[in-house]
């Protein structure tokens, strides 16, 4: 608190740097000294306020925009102020000869500042000329507050991140109050405890406005590159200024050298003339001349000499913000091509988006905003491969068209919606003094809900108006929509409506479409899931035999998230889900009394087999019952209502989920063996058991062993067909081997020939390379010159191609002409 009070009460002046004019200082130069340790505190603020030094350009462009906006609003009362030139911002980088230093000049044709304003606005920390101007405008109730962002004093401090000396020349326009303004200079350096304000020795060269000259530090010379400056403007201020921003560039072109071409032409004309004169000269009568016309005819024409060229360097001003902010325009006046072009350029994604929505609104607490939300046509690989490390940067939050952040912190989008690409421009938000960090407020908390709401509306609109495009969205985002229905309780109902599933009757259906197709009396939504199986394979499952045979529709779940979703929902529109791999299957058209009577009769008929199977399958199942779900298959293993299906067990095994509590162990064993009373196999097994002698003295151990063996194979086969693992696979295949031997007439005790050739004697000596083997080539060591390289063996050099790209902190590719 002491530090803040000291900052507000004592720190009234800003450092800068002294303008040198050939070693000759102006006579009326006014020097201001800092108080006690204010200079030290100023350095702390300069070095700690901003986290990235590139922010200096954003701040100075924003300040220049402020100055232009002030002039525009003030001119509403005094129109003559804007005479004398275009309202614009220019940026010019001037490197020194030899590349040892350089400067950047940022100029605006805005309101300008008098010497008193230079001292007050730039010489006082947290003294905002913008804020003071707005209060005056609001007090006069004229002109509105315009598009004014930030505090000029604090933004100006960012200059010292890259410059060790700063000069600010400024000239206000001619007005009634100041009919003869004089251009003054504010000069300061980062390591001095004073600054100076004095008349500009150059005179009133600006005409109007402010010119900031940054003499760059040695570690900031990278900003002399015009490509880097253009990138920074595009990143931070591409849409922040309503006035044009121009960048000074030097362009070198190869053009025709007219002087050299004229000289060459004159030389050729002289040669032709000399040749003609020689041909027309009188011949010597005593000299015999023999001409061979055929030689001239066969002689090829001389090639025309190349056109002389030269390199010419021209100056030009590039318009950096020629494209207006798309989100500020009326959606009715924006074409689809413009939306796609903006998406490609702004988000650096050169595939067209699947859809977008352009909207504006008010948060309810006075913060208005405009935004565009896009559905990308591809997901980043990290979304599923590295879900914990995935950190999207495609939500661009701007305040008055100046980029602020891509990170909403604790208000970030939920995982299922984090892949959307959004640009949101708020009219105003509370920022910290560096404008790099958002202060927590109600709007940020609402922003998450606003984006999710608009995303859902866009998906619902596409579902209704463009089914083909919605099919593409399902192919790409189907699993994500289901993930959202699991995680997002607030929007679960809307997301559930958007989910799609395959069935035994169609490839794509929603819960609502399923309910429209349900049978009379059906009070459940039937589903069957198994991880790793296709919908076609699931439709052949023994669990759905009778349902499919009778014409019922069954949802076939092929993704792990499906099982999680159904376990979370448990019902849809108060209609419960029924896993057909579990006990308790009901069709809905049964007669309870008739079903009970039929079940009792079959149970009584098959009691000997049921008792036999209970004994043989006691380690695999809890009970044996008559099945109402099987048509062709002899038997199946089903989970009880509170037990684990085979699919759930596989998912738990894949996730290494092992719980040692008693409830978990009970659920693992909660299985039933259902037998099909109409299966010939079951009827035949019943007859064999009924034929067994009941008298102990008449028992046939060999027959009983054969029946036990057949029963074991039947139970293990049911486990496999039901998706469970066989308890002892070796024993299972041994039994199958014995049955095959009997069916093929092979003796049970017949053994395979197990004789094999033994390995050679032990040899501890190291092997030597034979002539047909090429020894490994030694790696040639390269001197460490600090350059990156990939070393490959000779036989791979023509088989490997390596491409490298340089990317910035935001993941954008940095272009290089030489690549």
């Amino acid at each position: 608190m002491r530090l803040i009070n000291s900052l507000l009460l004592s720190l009234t002046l800003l450092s800068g740097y002294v303008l040198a004019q050939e070693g000759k200082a102006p006579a009326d130069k006014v020097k201001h000294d800092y108080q006690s340790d204010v200079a030290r505190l100023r350095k702390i603020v300069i070095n700690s306020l901003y986290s990235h030094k590139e922010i200096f350009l954003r701040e100075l462009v924003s300040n220049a925009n402020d100055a232009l906006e002030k002039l525009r609003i003030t001119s509403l009362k005094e129109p003559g102020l804007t005479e004398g030139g275009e309202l614009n911002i220019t940026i010019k980088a001037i490197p020194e000869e030899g590349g040892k230093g350089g400067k950047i000049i940022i100029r605006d044709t805005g309101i300008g500042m008098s010497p008193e304003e230079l001292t007050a606005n730039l010489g006082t920390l947290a003294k905002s000329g913008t804020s003071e101007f707005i209060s005056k405008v609001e007090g006069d109730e004229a002109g509105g507050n315009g598009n004014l962002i930030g505090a000029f004093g604090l933004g100006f401090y960012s200059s010292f991140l890259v410059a060790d000396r700063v000069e600010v020349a400024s000239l206000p326009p001619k007005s009634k109050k100041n009919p003869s303004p004089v251009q003054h200079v504010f000069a300061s350096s980062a390591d001095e405890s004073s600054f100076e304000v004095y008349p500009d020795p150059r005179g009133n060269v600006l005409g109007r406005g402010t010119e900031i000259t940054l003499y760059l530090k040695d570690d900031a010379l990278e900003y002399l590159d015009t490509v880097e400056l253009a990138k920074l403007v595009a990143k931070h201020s591409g849409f922040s200024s309503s006035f044009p921003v121009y960048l000074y560039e030097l362009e070198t072109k190869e053009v025709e050298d007219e002087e050299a071409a004229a000289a060459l032409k004159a030389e050729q004309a002289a040669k032709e003339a000399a040749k003609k004169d020689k041909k027309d000269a009188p011949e010597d009568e005593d000299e015999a001349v023999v001409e061979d016309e055929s030689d001239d005819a066969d002689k090829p024409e001389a090639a025309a000499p190349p056109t002389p060229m030269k390199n010419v360097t021209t100056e030009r001003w590039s318009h950096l913000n020629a494209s207006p902010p798309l989100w500020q325009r009326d959606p009715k006046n924006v074409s689809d091509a413009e939306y796609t072009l903006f998406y490609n350029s702004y988000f650096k994604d050169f595939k067209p988006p699947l859809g977008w929505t352009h909207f504006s609104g008010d948060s309810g607490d006075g913060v208005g905003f405009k935004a565009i939300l896009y559905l990308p046509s591809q997901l980043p690989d990290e979304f599923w491969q590295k879900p914990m490390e995935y950190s999207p940067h495609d939500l661009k939050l701007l305040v008055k068209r100046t980029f602020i952040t891509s990170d909403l912190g604790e208000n970030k989008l939920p995982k299922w919606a984090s892949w959307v690409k959004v640009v949101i421009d708020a009219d105003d938000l509370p920022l910290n003094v560096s404008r790099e960090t958002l202060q927590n407020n109600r709007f940020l908390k609402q922003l998450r809900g606003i984006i999710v709401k608009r995303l859902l509306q866009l998906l619902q609109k596409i579902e209704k108006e463009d089914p083909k495009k919605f099919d593409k969205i399902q192919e790409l985002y189907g699993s994500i929509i289901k993930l959202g229905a699991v995680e997002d309780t607030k929007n679960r109902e809307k997301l559930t409506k958007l989910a799609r599933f395959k069935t035994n009757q169609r490839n794509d259906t929603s819960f609502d479409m399923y309910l429209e197709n349900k049978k009379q009396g059906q009070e459940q939504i039937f589903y069957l899931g198994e991880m790793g199986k296709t919908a076609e394979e699931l439709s052949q499952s023994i669990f759905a035999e009778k349902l499919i045979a009778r014409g019922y529709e069954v949802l076939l779940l092929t993704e792990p998230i499906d099982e999680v979703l159904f376990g979370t929902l448990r019902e849809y529109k108060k209609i419960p889900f029924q896993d057909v791999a579990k006990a308790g299957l009901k069709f809905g058209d049964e007669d309870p009394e008739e079903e009970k009577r039929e079940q009792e009769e079959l149970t009584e008929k098959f009691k000997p087999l049921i008792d036999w199977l209970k004994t043989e399958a006691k380690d695999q199942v809890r009970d044996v019952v008559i099945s109402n779900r099987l048509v062709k298959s002899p038997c199946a293993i089903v989970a009880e209502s509170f037990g684990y299906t085979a699919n759930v067990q596989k998912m738990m095994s894949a996730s290494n989920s092992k719980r040692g509590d008693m409830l978990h162990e009970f659920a693992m064993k909660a299985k039933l063996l259902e037998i099909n009373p109409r299966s010939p196999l079951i009827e035949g097994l019943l007859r064999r058991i009924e034929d067994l002698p009941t008298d102990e003295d008449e028992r046939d151990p060999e027959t009983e062993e054969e029946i036990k063996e057949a029963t074991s194979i039947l139970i293990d086969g049911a486990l496999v067909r039901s998706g469970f693992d066989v308890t002892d696979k070796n024993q299972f295949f041994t039994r199958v081997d014995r049955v095959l031997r009997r069916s093929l007439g092979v003796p049970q005790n017949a053994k395979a020939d197990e004789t094999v050739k033994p390995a050679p004697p032990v040899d501890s000596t190291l092997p030597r390379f034979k002539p047909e083997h090429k020894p490994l080539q030694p790696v040639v060591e390269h001197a460490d010159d600090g350059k990156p390289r990939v070393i490959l063996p000779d036989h791979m050099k023509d088989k490997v191609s390596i491409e490298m790209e340089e990317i910035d902190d935001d993941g954008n590719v940095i272009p290089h002409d030489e690549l």
Side-chain angles (χ1 to χ4, degrees):
M1 185 60 70
R2 293 177 183 173
L3 182 62
I4 295 175
N5 291 335
S6 174
L7 183 66
L8 295 176
L9 296 176
S10 303
L11 190 54
T12 58
L13 301 176
L14 171 98
S15 76
Y17 103 37
V18 180
L19 175 65
Q21 178 64 21
E22 298 180 357
K24 184 178 178 181
D28 51 356
K29 180 182 294 186
V30 180
K31 187 173 184 179
H32 302 269
D33 293 324
Y34 289 104
Q35 301 174 3
S36 61
D37 61 347
V38 172
R40 183 166 57 89
L41 182 59
R42 177 174 57 89
K43 290 183 179 180
I44 294 175
V45 175
I46 293 173
N47 296 328
S48 304
L49 191 59
Y50 297 94
S51 57
H52 302 286
K53 61 182 180 180
E54 67 180 33
I55 297 299
F56 83 95
L57 192 59
R58 182 195 74 181
E59 293 298 308
L60 296 181
V61 170
S62 295
N63 290 342
N65 186 73
D66 288 350
L68 291 164
E69 195 71 27
K70 290 177 186 179
L71 180 64
R72 184 186 66 81
I73 295 174
T74 307
S75 66
L76 297 176
K77 288 185 176 181
E78 196 172 345
L81 294 178
T82 56
E83 295 179 357
E86 178 189 3
L87 299 179
N88 60 31
I89 302 169
T90 61
I91 305 171
K92 186 175 184 179
I94 305 176
E96 292 182 0
E97 294 184 4
K100 296 182 178 180
K103 59 185 178 181
I104 296 176
I105 301 174
I106 301 172
R107 179 178 176 181
D108 68 74
T109 57
I111 194 66
M113 289 177 280
S114 65
E116 295 78 18
E117 289 173 327
L118 281 171
T119 302
N121 292 343
L122 303 187
T124 304
L125 184 62
K127 173 66 176 179
S128 174
T130 297
S131 301
E132 187 175 340
F133 174 76
I134 292 175
S135 64
K136 289 182 179 180
V137 171
E138 290 178 344
D140 294 339
E141 296 183 354
N145 60 10
N147 183 27
L148 307 177
I149 179 171
F152 191 92
L154 286 177
F156 177 73
Y157 261 98
S158 64
S159 303
F160 297 101
L161 295 172
V162 297
D164 51 19
R165 191 172 59 149
V166 178
E167 297 172 358
V168 181
S170 192
L171 176 66
K174 294 181 181 180
S175 64
K176 295 179 181 178
K177 294 182 179 180
N178 190 5
S180 301
V182 177
Q183 183 170 317
H184 278 71
V185 174
F186 171 98
S188 179
S189 65
D191 55 357
E192 289 184 354
S193 60
S194 62
F195 68 89
E196 295 175 329
V197 177
Y198 52 89
D200 195 331
R202 301 173 298 174
N204 293 357
V205 296
L206 295 180
R208 181 189 68 236
T210 301
E211 178 186 81
I212 301 177
T213 303
L214 309 177
Y215 292 84
L216 298 179
K217 300 177 181 178
D218 292 339
D219 61 352
L221 298 182
E222 59 188 285
Y223 299 112
L224 292 173
D225 184 0
T226 55
V227 175
E228 181 68 19
L229 291 174
K231 285 173 54 182
L232 291 180
V233 172
K235 176 181 178 181
H236 295 289
S237 309
F239 302 105
S240 65
S241 177
S242 54
F243 304 95
V245 179
Y246 297 101
L247 176 65
Y248 177 81
E249 293 181 321
L250 295 176
E251 184 179 19
T252 301
K253 291 184 178 180
E254 190 178 35
V255 298
E256 181 181 354
D257 190 342
E258 296 181 358
E259 294 182 359
L264 180 62
K265 188 175 181 180
E267 182 181 353
Q268 289 178 340
K271 289 182 179 179
E272 290 292 333
K275 184 177 180 182
K276 184 177 180 181
D277 292 343
K278 183 178 180 181
K279 185 176 181 181
D280 295 340
E283 300 179 357
D284 190 348
E285 295 180 357
D286 297 334
E287 182 179 358
V289 178
V290 179
E291 295 183 356
D292 189 353
E293 296 182 358
S294 61
D295 291 344
D296 293 337
D298 296 339
K299 192 174 182 180
E301 295 183 3
T307 303
M309 306 295 289
K310 66 178 180 178
N311 290 330
V312 176
T313 300
T314 59
E315 301 178 351
R316 69 171 184 175
W317 290 95
S318 299
H319 194 177
L320 299 182
N321 59 340
S323 300
L326 197 69
W327 59 84
Q328 295 286 346
R329 296 168 56 185
D330 187 344
K332 297 178 182 178
N333 301 326
V334 184
S335 66
D336 291 351
E338 288 178 300
Y339 279 118
T340 301
L341 183 62
F342 171 77
Y343 171 83
N344 296 148
S345 61
Y346 193 74
F347 292 103
K348 306 298 186 296
D349 185 353
F350 299 103
K351 291 187 177 180
L354 289 177
W356 58 81
T357 177
H358 186 172
F359 59 96
S360 60
D362 193 309
S363 64
D365 55 357
V367 179
F369 64 90
K370 295 182 179 180
I372 304 178
L373 181 148
Y374 286 96
L375 298 179
S377 57
Q378 61 183 0
L379 269 176
D381 297 335
E382 295 82 3
F383 186 88
W384 292 117
Q385 296 176 359
K386 300 178 180 179
M388 302 303 295
E389 301 177 13
Y390 176 67
S391 179
H393 297 282
D394 293 324
L395 191 155
K396 309 292 186 181
L397 180 59
L398 298 88
V399 176
K400 295 179 180 177
R401 293 180 289 182
T402 297
F403 173 74
I404 300 299
T405 185
S406 293
D407 184 9
L408 298 183
E410 61 182 19
N411 299 304
K412 65 181 179 181
L413 294 177
K415 168 71 176 179
W416 73 269
S418 61
W419 44 270
V420 297
K421 297 181 186 290
V422 192
V423 53
I424 295 183
D425 186 6
D427 293 341
D428 191 21
L429 280 180
L431 308 176
N432 74 343
V433 291
S434 69
R435 292 195 281 195
E436 293 184 73
T437 307
L438 289 163
Q439 295 178 7
N440 195 16
N441 72 337
R442 184 181 176 187
F443 176 73
L444 289 182
K445 296 179 180 178
Q446 294 173 334
L447 192 57
R448 169 187 171 123
I450 291 171
I451 296 174
V452 170
K453 177 183 177 181
R454 291 291 179 169
L455 172 59
L456 290 172
Q457 290 177 351
L458 177 59
L459 293 174
Q460 291 167 349
K461 180 182 179 182
I462 295 175
E463 177 194 25
K464 183 178 180 180
E465 299 177 359
D466 196 341
K468 290 185 178 180
K469 182 178 288 187
F470 190 72
D471 290 341
K472 294 181 180 178
I473 290 176
Q474 281 294 326
E475 182 180 348
L476 186 60
Y477 300 114
S479 299
I480 295 176
I481 291 173
K482 296 170 185 176
L483 175 65
V486 172
E487 293 183 340
D488 195 340
T489 56
K490 181 179 179 180
N491 298 291
R492 178 170 293 167
E493 182 178 351
K494 295 177 181 179
L495 287 163
T496 301
K497 288 178 177 290
L498 293 170
R500 294 292 185 269
F501 307 92
K502 292 185 177 181
T503 74
N504 57 301
Q505 297 180 3
R506 46 189 164 178
N507 290 328
D508 187 55
T509 186
S510 65
F511 285 124
D512 288 328
M513 295 163 62
Y514 180 92
L515 293 180
E516 292 174 359
N517 193 42
K518 73 181 183 67
K519 306 298 183 182
Q520 290 184 1
Q522 181 181 344
E523 297 179 351
Q524 297 166 310
I525 297 175
F526 300 120
Y527 76 92
L528 174 64
E530 185 169 352
M531 188 171 60
K533 293 289 185 69
T534 64
E536 292 74 17
E537 291 171 332
L538 283 177
S539 64
Q540 304 298 321
S541 172
I542 59 176
F543 298 121
E545 280 184 356
K546 198 168 186 178
L547 284 166
I548 294 175
R550 294 193 62 192
Y552 285 86
E553 188 172 20
V554 182
L555 299 174
L556 305 175
L557 313 184
T558 57
E559 300 180 76
I561 190 64
D562 293 336
E563 190 85 39
V564 179
L565 174 61
F566 276 65
T568 302
L569 297 177
R570 297 187 180 275
E571 63 179 27
Y572 182 76
K573 293 186 175 180
K574 297 185 179 180
I575 299 178
F577 298 135
Q578 171 62 58
D579 188 345
V580 299
K582 285 192 172 186
L585 180 63
K586 299 292 182 182
F587 296 89
D589 61 343
E590 300 93 343
D591 183 343
E593 295 296 330
E594 182 180 351
E595 183 183 17
K596 181 180 179 181
R597 179 181 53 79
E598 183 180 355
Q599 194 76 4
E600 290 177 350
E601 291 177 357
L602 291 173
T603 300
E604 181 64 27
K605 176 182 177 181
F606 285 88
K607 188 176 184 308
L609 177 59
I610 291 175
D611 293 339
W612 174 275
L613 291 174
K614 283 183 179 180
T615 303
E616 296 299 318
K618 62 182 180 181
D619 294 332
Q620 286 83 17
V621 299
R622 193 181 62 82
D623 200 0
V624 180
V625 297
I626 299 296
S627 177
N628 68 335
R629 76 179 72 233
L630 300 176
V631 178
K632 298 179 296 182
S633 301
C635 57
I637 304 291
V638 301
E640 297 189 71
S641 58
F642 47 83
Y644 296 151
T645 62
N647 191 40
V648 173
Q649 288 190 16
K650 288 179 180 179
M651 292 174 60
M652 295 178 67
S653 176
S655 62
N656 295 322
S657 177
K658 296 181 180 180
R659 286 180 274 175
D661 57 2
M662 294 180 60
L663 185 61
H664 170 72
E665 297 297 328
F666 186 75
M668 290 287 291
K669 296 180 180 179
K671 300 181 183 67
L672 298 178
L673 173 60
E674 292 190 359
I675 60 174
N676 182 6
R678 297 174 181 82
S679 170
L681 243 172
I682 295 299
E683 291 179 344
L685 186 58
L686 174 63
R687 289 193 298 270
R688 291 293 302 273
I689 291 173
E690 288 178 336
D691 291 341
L692 289 175
T694 56
D695 193 344
E696 185 68 25
D697 296 335
E698 298 178 359
R699 286 183 58 189
D700 185 353
E702 186 175 344
T703 303
E704 289 183 9
E705 188 62 31
E706 288 182 3
I707 297 176
K708 286 184 179 181
E709 195 169 61
T711 302
S712 297
I713 294 175
L714 189 69
I715 295 171
D716 287 342
L719 285 168
V720 174
R721 294 193 65 185
S722 301
F724 295 99
D725 290 331
V726 176
T727 306
D728 190 338
K729 293 182 180 179
N730 290 329
Q731 193 174 12
F732 169 68
F733 286 110
T734 300
R735 296 192 188 104
V736 172
D737 181 71
R738 286 200 296 264
V739 173
L740 289 174
R741 284 170 179 264
R742 285 198 298 268
S743 64
L744 297 175
V746 178
Q748 295 291 329
N749 57 357
K751 295 183 178 180
D753 185 3
E754 299 179 359
T755 58
V756 294
K757 180 181 178 181
V762 174
D763 183 5
S764 60
T765 59
L766 294 177
R768 294 184 178 181
F769 287 106
K770 294 183 178 179
E772 61 269 18
H773 293 289
K774 295 182 179 180
L776 293 176
Q777 298 296 325
V779 177
V780 179
E781 295 291 340
H782 293 267
D784 187 3
D785 54 3
K787 297 181 180 179
R789 59 165 51 88
V790 178
I791 301 174
L792 297 172
D794 293 338
H795 69 281
M796 292 182 65
K797 289 182 178 178
D798 58 343
K799 300 178 181 179
V800 177
S801 176
I802 299 175
E803 296 181 0
M804 301 179 67
E805 292 180 337
E806 184 180 359
I807 60 174
D808 56 22
D809 295 338
D810 293 330
N812 300 320
V813 177
I814 299 175
H816 290 278
D817 294 339
E818 66 271 15
L819 295 180

